[in-house]
Amino acid sequence: MTKEEAQTAGVIYDNDIAKAKQLLAEAGYPNGIQFEAITSELDSSYRKPMIALQAQVKKAGIDMQVKVVDHASFHSLIRKDASPVVYYACWRPNLDVFSRGFYHSESSVMTGKSPDTNFSHYGSPEAMKAGQSGNIGRPD
């Protein structure tokens, strides 16, 4: 997606630290929040992006401690729901496969019928309908 397409779609968001702090406070974390997130030892694909994310969220009062583990353990742990934040680098052959794996409720790790890479446990009715029709990411 180009920047122009993203603007047209309304999916470009400002870096609003004050709003992030406000939302944390509304969620019951007026002094911020601290947690541990797991990442792989692989530098360019996992560790470095997670360290960059850690620096970004710290500005809003989110103290994300990054625990670096070997790559095999990373994959095992994230599929056991052991990390509240997962940075996952991957390639998928098309949008249908990508969307179904990451956004269909059946793909939720631990709880889905076919656990895959839905680490957020996202499962909106729209994603469910699109996934069942094999039409994720394509117009009807």
Side-chain angles (χ1 to χ4, degrees), residues 15-94:
N15 186 8
D16 191 338
I17 301 302
K19 180 70 172 179
K21 288 181 177 183
Q22 174 191 340
L23 291 171
L24 279 171
E26 289 173 11
Y29 302 100
N31 300 315
I33 188 172
Q34 180 182 17
F35 58 86
E36 180 180 84
I38 299 166
T39 194
S40 168
E41 65 191 337
L42 300 181
D43 269 356
S44 62
S45 297
Y46 292 90
R47 194 183 64 77
K48 286 182 180 178
M50 195 66 146
I51 298 300
L53 177 61
Q54 178 187 43
Q56 289 175 347
V57 300
K58 187 162 188 75
K59 295 173 188 176
I62 300 170
D63 183 9
M64 182 175 76
Q65 300 296 309
V66 177
K67 180 178 180 180
V68 179
V69 298
D70 66 271
H71 195 63
S73 294
F74 167 73
H75 279 284
S76 176
L77 289 165
I78 62 175
R79 282 170 175 76
K80 293 177 182 172
D81 228 7
S83 187
V85 173
V86 176
Y87 177 84
Y88 191 83
C90 69
W91 176 89
R92 297 293 186 260
N94 59 51

